[in-house]
Coordinates of all heavy atoms in Angstrom, one line a residue:
M15 N 113.1 126.0 78.8 CA 113.2 126.7 77.5 C 111.9 126.8 76.8 O 111.5 127.8 76.3 CB 114.3 126.1 76.6 CG 114.4 126.7 75.3 SD 114.8 128.4 75.2 CE 116.4 128.4 75.9
N16 N 111.1 125.7 76.9 CA 109.8 125.6 76.2 C 108.9 126.7 76.8 O 108.1 127.2 76.1 CB 109.2 124.2 76.4 CG 109.9 123.2 75.5 OD1 110.6 123.5 74.6 ND2 109.6 121.9 75.7
D17 N 109.0 126.9 78.1 CA 108.1 127.9 78.8 C 108.3 129.3 78.3 O 107.4 130.1 78.2 CB 108.2 127.8 80.3 CG 107.8 126.5 80.9 OD1 107.0 125.8 80.2 OD2 108.2 126.2 82.0
R18 N 109.6 129.6 78.0 CA 109.9 130.9 77.5 C 109.8 131.1 76.0 O 109.4 132.2 75.6 CB 111.3 131.3 78.0 CG 111.4 131.6 79.5 CD 112.8 132.1 79.8 NE 113.6 130.9 80.2 CZ 114.9 130.9 80.3 NH1 115.6 131.9 79.9 NH2 115.5 129.8 80.6
G19 N 110.3 130.1 75.3 CA 110.3 130.3 73.8 C 109.5 129.4 73.0 O 109.5 129.5 71.8
G20 N 108.8 128.5 73.6 CA 108.0 127.5 72.9 C 108.8 126.3 72.5 O 110.0 126.2 72.7
H21 N 108.1 125.3 72.0 CA 108.7 124.0 71.7 C 109.7 124.1 70.6 O 110.7 123.3 70.7 CB 107.6 123.0 71.3 CG 106.7 122.6 72.5 ND1 107.2 121.8 73.5 CD2 105.5 123.0 72.9 CE1 106.3 121.7 74.4 NE2 105.2 122.4 74.1
V22 N 109.5 124.9 69.6 CA 110.5 125.0 68.6 C 111.9 125.5 69.1 O 112.9 125.0 68.9 CB 110.0 126.0 67.4 CG1 111.1 126.2 66.4 CG2 108.8 125.4 66.7
A23 N 111.8 126.5 70.0 CA 113.0 127.1 70.7 C 113.6 126.0 71.6 O 114.8 125.9 71.6 CB 112.7 128.3 71.4
G24 N 112.8 125.3 72.3 CA 113.3 124.2 73.2 C 114.0 123.1 72.4 O 115.0 122.7 72.8
D25 N 113.4 122.7 71.3 CA 114.0 121.7 70.5 C 115.4 122.2 69.9 O 116.3 121.4 69.9 CB 113.1 121.2 69.4 CG 112.0 120.3 69.8 OD1 112.1 119.8 70.9 OD2 111.0 120.1 69.1
A26 N 115.4 123.4 69.5 CA 116.7 124.0 69.0 C 117.7 124.0 70.1 O 118.9 123.7 69.8 CB 116.4 125.4 68.4
Y27 N 117.3 124.4 71.3 CA 118.3 124.4 72.4 C 118.8 123.0 72.6 O 120.0 122.8 72.8 CB 117.6 125.0 73.6 CG 118.5 124.8 74.9 CD1 119.6 125.7 75.0 CD2 118.3 123.8 75.8 CE1 120.4 125.5 76.1 CE2 119.1 123.7 76.9 CZ 120.1 124.5 77.1 OH 121.0 124.4 78.1
L28 N 118.0 122.0 72.6 CA 118.4 120.6 72.9 C 119.4 120.2 71.8 O 120.3 119.5 72.1 CB 117.2 119.7 73.0 CG 116.3 119.9 74.3 CD1 115.1 119.1 74.2 CD2 117.1 119.7 75.5
R29 N 119.1 120.5 70.6 CA 120.0 120.2 69.5 C 121.4 120.9 69.7 O 122.4 120.3 69.5 CB 119.4 120.5 68.1 CG 118.4 119.6 67.6 CD 118.0 119.8 66.2 NE 117.5 121.1 65.9 CZ 116.3 121.5 66.1 NH1 115.4 120.7 66.5 NH2 115.9 122.8 65.8
D30 N 121.3 122.2 70.1 CA 122.6 122.9 70.3 C 123.4 122.3 71.5 O 124.6 122.2 71.4 CB 122.3 124.4 70.6 CG 121.8 125.1 69.4 OD1 121.9 124.6 68.3 OD2 121.3 126.3 69.6
M31 N 122.6 121.9 72.5 CA 123.3 121.2 73.6 C 123.9 119.9 73.2 O 125.1 119.6 73.6 CB 122.3 121.1 74.8 CG 123.0 120.6 76.1 SD 122.0 120.8 77.5 CE 120.5 119.9 77.1
A32 N 123.2 119.1 72.5 CA 123.8 117.8 72.1 C 125.0 118.0 71.2 O 126.0 117.3 71.3 CB 122.7 117.0 71.3
A33 N 125.0 119.0 70.3 CA 126.2 119.3 69.5 C 127.3 119.7 70.4 O 128.5 119.3 70.1 CB 125.8 120.4 68.5
A34 N 127.1 120.6 71.3 CA 128.2 121.1 72.2 C 128.7 119.9 73.0 O 130.0 119.8 73.2 CB 127.7 122.2 73.2
W35 N 127.9 119.1 73.5 CA 128.3 117.9 74.3 C 129.1 116.9 73.5 O 130.1 116.3 73.9 CB 127.1 117.2 75.0 CG 126.6 118.0 76.1 CD1 127.1 119.1 76.7 CD2 125.4 117.6 76.9 NE1 126.3 119.5 77.8 CE2 125.3 118.6 77.9 CE3 124.5 116.6 76.8 CZ2 124.2 118.6 78.8 CZ3 123.4 116.6 77.7 CH2 123.3 117.6 78.7
S36 N 128.6 116.7 72.2 CA 129.3 115.7 71.4 C 130.7 116.1 71.1 O 131.6 115.2 71.0 CB 128.5 115.6 70.0 OG 127.3 115.0 70.2
R37 N 131.0 117.3 71.1 CA 132.4 117.8 70.9 C 133.3 117.4 72.1 O 134.5 117.3 72.0 CB 132.5 119.3 70.6 CG 132.0 119.6 69.2 CD 132.2 121.1 68.9 NE 131.4 122.0 69.7 CZ 130.2 122.4 69.4 NH1 129.6 121.9 68.3 NH2 129.5 123.3 70.1
L38 N 132.7 117.2 73.2 CA 133.5 116.8 74.4 C 133.6 115.3 74.7 O 134.3 114.9 75.7 CB 132.8 117.5 75.7 CG 132.7 119.0 75.7 CD1 131.9 119.5 76.8 CD2 134.1 119.6 75.7
L39 N 132.9 114.5 73.9 CA 132.9 113.1 74.1 C 133.9 112.4 73.2 O 134.4 112.9 72.2 CB 131.5 112.6 73.8 CG 130.4 113.1 74.7 CD1 129.1 112.6 74.2 CD2 130.6 112.8 76.1
R40 N 134.3 111.2 73.7 CA 135.2 110.3 72.9 C 134.4 109.5 71.9 O 133.2 109.4 72.0 CB 135.9 109.4 73.9 CG 136.7 110.1 75.0 CD 137.1 109.2 76.1 NE 135.9 108.5 76.6 CZ 135.8 107.5 77.4 NH1 136.9 106.8 77.7 NH2 134.7 107.0 77.8
G41 N 135.1 108.9 71.0 CA 134.4 108.1 69.9 C 133.7 106.9 70.5 O 132.8 106.4 69.9
T42 N 134.1 106.5 71.6 CA 133.5 105.3 72.3 C 132.2 105.6 73.1 O 131.5 104.7 73.6 CB 134.5 104.5 73.1 OG1 135.0 105.4 74.1 CG2 135.6 104.0 72.3
D43 N 132.0 106.9 73.4 CA 130.9 107.3 74.2 C 129.6 107.5 73.3 O 129.7 107.8 72.1 CB 131.1 108.7 74.8 CG 132.4 108.6 75.7 OD1 132.7 107.5 76.3 OD2 133.0 109.7 75.9
L44 N 128.5 107.2 73.9 CA 127.2 107.3 73.1 C 126.2 108.2 73.8 O 125.9 108.0 75.0 CB 126.6 105.9 73.0 CG 125.2 105.8 72.3 CD1 125.3 106.2 70.9 CD2 124.6 104.4 72.4
L45 N 125.8 109.3 73.2 CA 124.9 110.3 73.7 C 123.6 110.1 72.9 O 123.6 110.1 71.7 CB 125.4 111.7 73.5 CG 124.5 112.8 73.9 CD1 124.3 112.8 75.5 CD2 125.1 114.2 73.5
A46 N 122.5 110.0 73.6 CA 121.2 109.9 72.9 C 120.1 110.6 73.7 O 120.1 110.7 75.0 CB 120.8 108.4 72.9
R47 N 119.2 111.3 73.0 CA 118.0 111.9 73.6 C 117.0 110.8 73.9 O 116.6 110.1 73.1 CB 117.5 112.9 72.7 CG 116.3 113.7 73.3 CD 115.9 114.9 72.4 NE 114.8 115.6 72.9 CZ 114.1 116.5 72.2 NH1 114.5 116.8 71.0 NH2 113.1 117.1 72.7
L48 N 116.7 110.7 75.2 CA 115.7 109.7 75.6 C 114.3 110.1 75.5 O 113.4 109.3 75.3 CB 116.0 109.3 77.1 CG 117.4 108.7 77.4 CD1 117.6 108.4 78.8 CD2 117.6 107.5 76.5
G49 N 114.1 111.4 75.6 CA 112.7 111.9 75.5 C 112.6 113.2 76.2 O 113.4 113.5 77.2
G50 N 111.8 114.1 75.7 CA 111.7 115.4 76.4 C 113.0 116.1 76.5 O 113.7 116.3 75.5
D51 N 113.4 116.5 77.7 CA 114.7 117.2 77.8 C 115.7 116.2 78.5 O 116.7 116.7 79.1 CB 114.5 118.5 78.6 CG 114.0 118.2 80.1 OD1 113.6 117.1 80.4 OD2 114.0 119.2 80.9
E52 N 115.5 115.0 78.4 CA 116.4 114.0 79.0 C 117.3 113.3 78.0 O 116.8 112.9 76.9 CB 115.6 113.0 79.8 CG 114.9 113.6 81.0 CD 114.2 112.6 81.9 OE1 114.2 111.4 81.5 OE2 113.6 113.0 82.9
F53 N 118.6 113.2 78.3 CA 119.6 112.5 77.5 C 120.1 111.4 78.3 O 120.2 111.4 79.5 CB 120.7 113.5 77.2 CG 120.4 114.5 76.2 CD1 119.8 115.7 76.6 CD2 120.7 114.3 74.8 CE1 119.5 116.7 75.6 CE2 120.3 115.3 73.9 CZ 119.7 116.5 74.3
G54 N 120.6 110.4 77.6 CA 121.3 109.3 78.2 C 122.7 109.3 77.6 O 122.9 109.6 76.4
L55 N 123.7 109.0 78.4 CA 125.1 108.9 78.0 C 125.7 107.6 78.5 O 125.7 107.3 79.6 CB 125.8 110.1 78.6 CG 127.3 110.2 78.3 CD1 127.6 110.3 76.8 CD2 127.9 111.4 79.0
L56 N 126.2 106.9 77.5 CA 126.9 105.6 77.8 C 128.4 105.9 77.7 O 128.9 106.2 76.6 CB 126.5 104.5 76.9 CG 127.2 103.2 77.0 CD1 126.8 102.6 78.4 CD2 126.7 102.2 75.9
L57 N 129.1 105.8 78.8 CA 130.5 106.0 78.9 C 131.2 104.7 79.1 O 130.8 103.9 79.9 CB 130.9 107.0 80.0 CG 130.3 108.4 80.0 CD1 130.6 109.1 81.3 CD2 130.9 109.2 78.9
T58 N 132.3 104.6 78.4 CA 133.1 103.4 78.6 C 134.3 103.8 79.6 O 135.4 104.1 79.1 CB 133.7 102.8 77.3 OG1 134.3 103.9 76.6 CG2 132.5 102.2 76.5
V59 N 134.0 103.8 80.9 CA 135.0 104.2 81.9 C 135.0 103.1 82.9 O 134.0 102.3 83.0 CB 134.7 105.5 82.5 CG1 134.8 106.7 81.5 CG2 133.3 105.6 83.2
R60 N 136.0 103.0 83.7 CA 136.1 101.9 84.7 C 135.8 102.3 86.1 O 135.8 101.5 87.0 CB 137.5 101.4 84.6 CG 137.8 100.7 83.3 CD 139.1 99.9 83.4 NE 139.4 99.3 82.1 CZ 138.9 98.2 81.6 NH1 138.0 97.5 82.2 NH2 139.3 97.8 80.4
D61 N 135.6 103.6 86.4 CA 135.4 104.0 87.7 C 134.4 105.2 87.8 O 134.2 106.0 86.8 CB 136.7 104.4 88.4 CG 137.4 105.5 87.8 OD1 138.2 105.3 86.8 OD2 137.2 106.7 88.1
K62 N 133.8 105.3 88.9 CA 132.7 106.3 89.2 C 133.3 107.8 89.1 O 132.7 108.6 88.5 CB 132.1 106.1 90.5 CG 131.0 107.1 90.8 CD 130.3 106.7 92.2 CE 131.2 107.2 93.3 NZ 130.6 107.2 94.6
R63 N 134.5 108.0 89.6 CA 135.1 109.3 89.5 C 135.3 109.8 88.1 O 135.0 111.0 87.8 CB 136.5 109.3 90.3 CG 137.1 110.6 90.2 CD 138.5 110.6 91.0 NE 138.7 111.9 91.6 CZ 138.5 112.2 92.8 NH1 138.0 111.3 93.6 NH2 138.7 113.4 93.3
T64 N 135.7 109.0 87.2 CA 135.9 109.4 85.8 C 134.6 109.7 85.2 O 134.4 110.7 84.4 CB 136.6 108.3 85.0 OG1 137.8 108.0 85.6 CG2 136.8 108.7 83.6
A65 N 133.5 109.0 85.5 CA 132.2 109.3 85.0 C 131.7 110.6 85.6 O 131.1 111.4 84.8 CB 131.2 108.2 85.4
E66 N 131.9 110.9 86.8 CA 131.5 112.1 87.5 C 132.2 113.3 86.8 O 131.6 114.4 86.6 CB 131.7 112.1 89.0 CG 130.8 111.1 89.7 CD 131.2 110.9 91.1 OE1 132.3 111.2 91.5 OE2 130.3 110.4 91.9
E67 N 133.5 113.2 86.5 CA 134.3 114.2 85.9 C 133.7 114.5 84.5 O 133.6 115.7 84.1 CB 135.7 113.9 85.8 CG 136.4 113.9 87.2 CD 137.8 113.3 87.2 OE1 138.2 112.8 86.2 OE2 138.5 113.3 88.3
A68 N 133.4 113.4 83.7 CA 132.9 113.6 82.4 C 131.5 114.3 82.5 O 131.3 115.3 81.7 CB 132.7 112.3 81.7
I69 N 130.7 113.9 83.4 CA 129.4 114.6 83.5 C 129.5 116.1 83.9 O 128.8 116.9 83.4 CB 128.5 113.8 84.5 CG1 128.2 112.4 84.0 CG2 127.2 114.6 84.9 CD1 127.4 112.4 82.7
D70 N 130.4 116.4 84.8 CA 130.7 117.7 85.2 C 131.1 118.6 84.0 O 130.7 119.7 83.9 CB 131.7 117.8 86.4 CG 131.1 117.4 87.7 OD1 129.9 117.3 87.8 OD2 131.9 117.1 88.6
R71 N 132.0 118.0 83.2 CA 132.4 118.8 82.0 C 131.1 119.1 81.1 O 131.0 120.2 80.6 CB 133.4 118.0 81.1 CG 134.8 118.1 81.6 CD 135.8 117.6 80.6 NE 135.5 116.2 80.1 CZ 135.8 115.1 80.7 NH1 136.5 115.1 81.8 NH2 135.5 113.9 80.1
L72 N 130.3 118.1 80.9 CA 129.1 118.3 80.1 C 128.1 119.3 80.8 O 127.6 120.2 80.1 CB 128.4 117.0 79.8 CG 129.1 115.9 79.1 CD1 128.2 114.7 78.8 CD2 129.7 116.5 77.8
R73 N 128.0 119.2 82.1 CA 127.0 120.1 82.7 C 127.5 121.6 82.7 O 126.6 122.5 82.6 CB 126.9 119.7 84.2 CG 126.0 118.5 84.4 CD 125.6 118.1 85.8 NE 126.5 118.6 86.8 CZ 126.2 119.6 87.7 NH1 125.1 120.3 87.6 NH2 127.1 119.9 88.6
T74 N 128.8 121.8 82.6 CA 129.2 123.2 82.5 C 129.3 123.7 81.0 O 129.4 124.9 80.8 CB 130.7 123.4 83.1 OG1 131.6 122.5 82.4 CG2 130.6 123.0 84.6
A75 N 129.1 122.8 80.1 CA 129.1 123.2 78.6 C 127.7 123.3 78.1 O 127.3 122.5 77.2 CB 129.9 122.2 77.8
R76 N 126.9 124.2 78.6 CA 125.5 124.3 78.2 C 125.3 125.6 77.5 O 125.6 126.7 78.1 CB 124.6 124.2 79.4 CG 124.7 122.9 80.2 CD 123.8 122.9 81.4 NE 123.7 124.1 82.2 CZ 124.6 124.4 83.2 NH1 125.5 123.6 83.5 NH2 124.5 125.6 83.8
P77 N 124.7 125.6 76.3 CA 124.4 126.9 75.7 C 123.3 127.6 76.6 O 122.5 127.0 77.2 CB 123.7 126.5 74.4 CG 124.3 125.1 74.1 CD 124.5 124.5 75.5
L78 N 123.4 128.9 76.7 CA 122.5 129.7 77.5 C 122.6 129.5 79.0 O 121.9 130.1 79.8 CB 121.0 129.5 77.1 CG 120.7 129.7 75.6 CD1 119.2 129.4 75.3 CD2 121.1 131.1 75.1
G79 N 123.5 128.6 79.4 CA 123.7 128.4 80.9 C 122.5 127.9 81.7 O 122.5 128.1 82.9
L80 N 121.6 127.3 81.0 CA 120.4 126.7 81.7 C 120.9 125.6 82.7 O 121.9 125.0 82.5 CB 119.4 126.2 80.8 CG 118.7 127.3 79.9 CD1 117.8 126.7 78.9 CD2 118.1 128.4 80.7
S81 N 120.0 125.3 83.6 CA 120.4 124.2 84.6 C 120.4 122.8 83.9 O 119.8 122.6 82.9 CB 119.4 124.2 85.8 OG 118.1 123.8 85.3
C82 N 121.2 122.0 84.6 CA 121.3 120.6 84.1 C 121.6 119.7 85.2 O 122.7 119.8 85.8 CB 122.4 120.6 83.0 SG 122.8 118.9 82.4
S83 N 120.8 118.8 85.5 CA 121.0 117.8 86.5 C 121.3 116.4 85.9 O 121.0 116.2 84.7 CB 119.8 117.6 87.4 OG 119.5 118.8 88.1
A84 N 122.0 115.6 86.6 CA 122.5 114.3 86.1 C 122.4 113.2 87.1 O 122.5 113.4 88.3 CB 123.9 114.4 85.6
G85 N 122.1 112.0 86.6 CA 122.1 110.8 87.4 C 123.1 109.8 86.8 O 123.1 109.6 85.6
I86 N 123.9 109.2 87.7 CA 124.9 108.3 87.2 C 124.7 106.9 87.8 O 124.4 106.8 89.0 CB 126.3 108.8 87.6 CG1 126.6 110.2 87.0 CG2 127.4 107.8 87.3 CD1 127.9 110.8 87.5
A87 N 124.9 105.9 87.0 CA 124.8 104.5 87.4 C 126.0 103.8 86.7 O 126.1 103.9 85.5 CB 123.5 103.9 87.1
T88 N 126.7 103.1 87.5 CA 127.8 102.3 86.9 C 127.3 100.9 86.7 O 126.7 100.3 87.6 CB 129.1 102.3 87.7 OG1 128.8 102.0 89.0 CG2 129.7 103.7 87.7
G89 N 127.5 100.3 85.6 CA 127.1 98.9 85.3 C 127.9 97.9 86.0 O 129.0 98.1 86.4
T90 N 127.3 96.8 86.3 CA 127.9 95.6 86.9 C 127.9 94.5 85.8 O 127.1 94.5 84.9 CB 127.2 95.2 88.1 OG1 125.8 94.8 87.8 CG2 127.2 96.3 89.2
P91 N 128.9 93.6 86.0 CA 128.9 92.5 85.0 C 127.6 91.7 84.9 O 126.9 91.5 85.9 CB 130.0 91.5 85.5 CG 130.9 92.4 86.4 CD 129.9 93.5 87.0
F92 N 127.1 91.5 83.7 CA 125.9 90.7 83.5 C 124.6 91.4 83.9 O 123.5 90.8 83.8 CB 126.0 89.3 84.1 CG 127.2 88.6 83.7 CD1 128.2 88.4 84.7 CD2 127.5 88.2 82.4 CE1 129.4 87.7 84.4 CE2 128.6 87.5 82.1 CZ 129.6 87.3 83.1
E93 N 124.7 92.7 84.3 CA 123.5 93.5 84.6 C 122.7 93.8 83.3 O 123.3 94.3 82.4 CB 123.8 94.8 85.4 CG 122.6 95.6 85.7 CD 123.0 96.9 86.4 OE1 124.1 97.3 86.3 OE2 122.1 97.5 87.1
P94 N 121.4 93.5 83.3 CA 120.7 93.9 82.1 C 120.7 95.4 81.9 O 120.6 96.2 82.9 CB 119.2 93.4 82.4 CG 119.4 92.4 83.4 CD 120.6 92.8 84.2
V95 N 120.8 95.9 80.7 CA 120.9 97.3 80.5 C 119.6 98.0 81.0 O 119.7 99.2 81.4 CB 121.1 97.6 78.9 CG1 119.9 97.3 78.1 CG2 121.6 99.0 78.7
E96 N 118.5 97.4 80.9 CA 117.3 98.0 81.5 C 117.4 98.4 82.9 O 116.9 99.4 83.4 CB 116.1 97.1 81.3 CG 115.7 96.8 79.8 CD 116.5 95.7 79.2 OE1 117.4 95.0 79.9 OE2 116.4 95.4 78.0
H97 N 118.1 97.5 83.7 CA 118.3 97.8 85.1 C 119.2 99.0 85.3 O 119.0 99.8 86.2 CB 118.8 96.6 85.8 CG 117.9 95.4 85.9 ND1 118.2 94.2 86.5 CD2 116.6 95.2 85.4 CE1 117.2 93.4 86.4 NE2 116.2 94.0 85.7
L98 N 120.2 99.0 84.5 CA 121.2 100.2 84.6 C 120.5 101.5 84.3 O 120.7 102.5 85.0 CB 122.3 99.9 83.6 CG 123.4 101.0 83.5 CD1 124.1 101.1 84.8 CD2 124.3 100.7 82.3
V99 N 119.6 101.5 83.3 CA 118.9 102.7 82.9 C 117.9 103.1 84.0 O 117.8 104.3 84.4 CB 118.1 102.5 81.6 CG1 117.2 103.7 81.3 CG2 119.1 102.3 80.4
V100 N 117.3 102.1 84.6 CA 116.4 102.5 85.8 C 117.1 103.1 86.9 O 116.7 104.1 87.5 CB 115.6 101.2 86.2 CG1 114.9 101.4 87.6 CG2 114.6 100.8 85.2
R101 N 118.3 102.5 87.2 CA 119.1 103.1 88.3 C 119.6 104.5 88.0 O 119.6 105.4 88.9 CB 120.3 102.1 88.7 CG 119.8 100.8 89.3 CD 120.9 100.0 89.9 NE 122.0 99.6 88.9 CZ 123.2 100.2 89.0 NH1 123.5 101.0 90.0 NH2 124.2 99.8 88.1
A102 N 120.0 104.7 86.8 CA 120.4 106.0 86.4 C 119.3 107.0 86.4 O 119.4 108.2 86.9 CB 121.0 106.0 85.0
D103 N 118.1 106.6 86.0 CA 116.9 107.5 86.0 C 116.5 107.8 87.5 O 116.2 109.0 87.7 CB 115.8 106.7 85.3 CG 114.7 107.7 84.9 OD1 115.0 108.8 84.3 OD2 113.5 107.4 85.1
R104 N 116.6 106.9 88.4 CA 116.3 107.2 89.8 C 117.3 108.2 90.3 O 116.9 109.1 91.1 CB 116.3 105.9 90.6 CG 115.1 105.0 90.4 CD 115.1 103.8 91.2 NE 114.0 102.9 90.9 CZ 114.0 101.6 91.0 NH1 115.0 101.0 91.5 NH2 112.9 100.9 90.7
A105 N 118.6 108.0 90.0 CA 119.6 109.0 90.4 C 119.3 110.3 89.8 O 119.5 111.4 90.5 CB 121.0 108.5 90.0
L106 N 118.9 110.4 88.6 CA 118.6 111.7 88.0 C 117.4 112.4 88.7 O 117.5 113.6 89.0 CB 118.2 111.5 86.5 CG 117.6 112.7 85.8 CD1 118.6 113.9 85.8 CD2 117.1 112.4 84.4
Y107 N 116.4 111.6 89.0 CA 115.3 112.3 89.8 C 115.6 112.7 91.2 O 115.1 113.7 91.7 CB 114.0 111.4 89.7 CG 113.3 111.5 88.4 CD1 113.6 110.7 87.3 CD2 112.5 112.6 88.2 CE1 113.0 110.9 86.1 CE2 111.9 112.8 86.9 CZ 112.2 112.0 85.9 OH 111.6 112.2 84.7
A108 N 116.6 111.9 91.8 CA 117.1 112.4 93.1 C 117.9 113.7 93.0 O 117.8 114.6 93.8 CB 118.0 111.3 93.7
A109 N 118.6 113.8 91.9 CA 119.4 115.0 91.6 C 118.4 116.2 91.4 O 118.6 117.3 92.0 CB 120.3 114.9 90.4
K110 N 117.4 116.0 90.6 CA 116.4 117.0 90.3 C 115.7 117.5 91.6 O 115.4 118.6 91.8 CB 115.4 116.6 89.3 CG 115.9 116.5 87.9 CD 114.8 116.0 87.0 CE 115.2 116.0 85.5 NZ 114.1 115.7 84.6
A111 N 115.4 116.5 92.5 CA 114.7 116.8 93.7 C 115.6 117.6 94.7 O 115.0 118.3 95.6 CB 114.2 115.5 94.4
S112 N 116.9 117.4 94.6 CA 117.8 118.1 95.6 C 118.2 119.5 95.1 O 118.9 120.2 95.8 CB 119.0 117.2 95.8 OG 119.8 117.2 94.7
G113 N 117.7 119.9 94.0 CA 118.1 121.3 93.5 C 118.5 121.3 92.1 O 118.7 120.2 91.5
R114 N 118.7 122.4 91.5 CA 119.1 122.6 90.1 C 120.6 122.3 89.9 O 121.4 122.6 90.8 CB 118.8 123.9 89.6 CG 117.3 124.2 89.5 CD 117.0 125.4 88.7 NE 115.5 125.6 88.6 CZ 114.9 125.1 87.5 NH1 115.5 124.4 86.6 NH2 113.6 125.3 87.5
S115 N 120.9 121.8 88.8 CA 122.3 121.6 88.4 C 123.1 120.8 89.4 O 124.2 121.2 89.9 CB 123.0 122.9 88.1 OG 122.5 123.5 86.9
T116 N 122.6 119.6 89.7 CA 123.3 118.7 90.7 C 123.5 117.3 90.0 O 122.8 117.0 89.0 CB 122.5 118.5 92.0 OG1 121.2 118.0 91.7 CG2 122.3 119.8 92.7
T117 N 124.3 116.5 90.6 CA 124.5 115.2 90.1 C 124.4 114.2 91.3 O 124.8 114.5 92.4 CB 126.0 115.0 89.5 OG1 126.1 115.9 88.4 CG2 126.2 113.6 89.0
R118 N 123.7 113.1 91.0 CA 123.6 112.0 92.0 C 124.0 110.7 91.4 O 123.8 110.5 90.2 CB 122.2 111.9 92.5 CG 121.7 113.1 93.4 CD 122.5 113.2 94.7 NE 122.1 114.3 95.5 CZ 122.7 115.5 95.5 NH1 123.7 115.7 94.7 NH2 122.2 116.5 96.2
T119 N 124.6 109.9 92.2 CA 125.1 108.6 91.7 C 124.2 107.5 92.4 O 124.0 107.5 93.6 CB 126.6 108.4 92.1 OG1 127.3 109.4 91.5 CG2 127.1 107.0 91.5
A120 N 123.8 106.5 91.5 CA 123.0 105.4 92.0 C 123.9 104.5 92.9 O 125.0 104.4 92.7 CB 122.4 104.6 90.9
N121 N 123.2 103.8 93.8 CA 123.9 102.8 94.7 C 124.1 101.6 93.9 O 123.4 101.2 93.0 CB 123.1 102.5 95.9 CG 123.0 103.8 96.8 OD1 123.9 104.6 96.8 ND2 121.9 103.9 97.5

């Protein structure tokens, strides 16, 4: 979006996307912009399939239909949150490397 409309248009798009996504989330979910065009989403789910379904709902609810890739990592008991974020970030970059609008799950 920034390449076509500039940073102001890109920021407006990201705000619109966050608003659209927020309507699809539960009160226990936490959506945050991590930087640039990357968001983090903390879901309180018990299994990978439910997380994948939630991400797929968000990926299809994009204003302007731009691409959206996602990385998923499920936490383990006592895992530091920093490790969880690193694993999710690696999964995101694997998704981006494999093509547009894809999802990858961390091991």
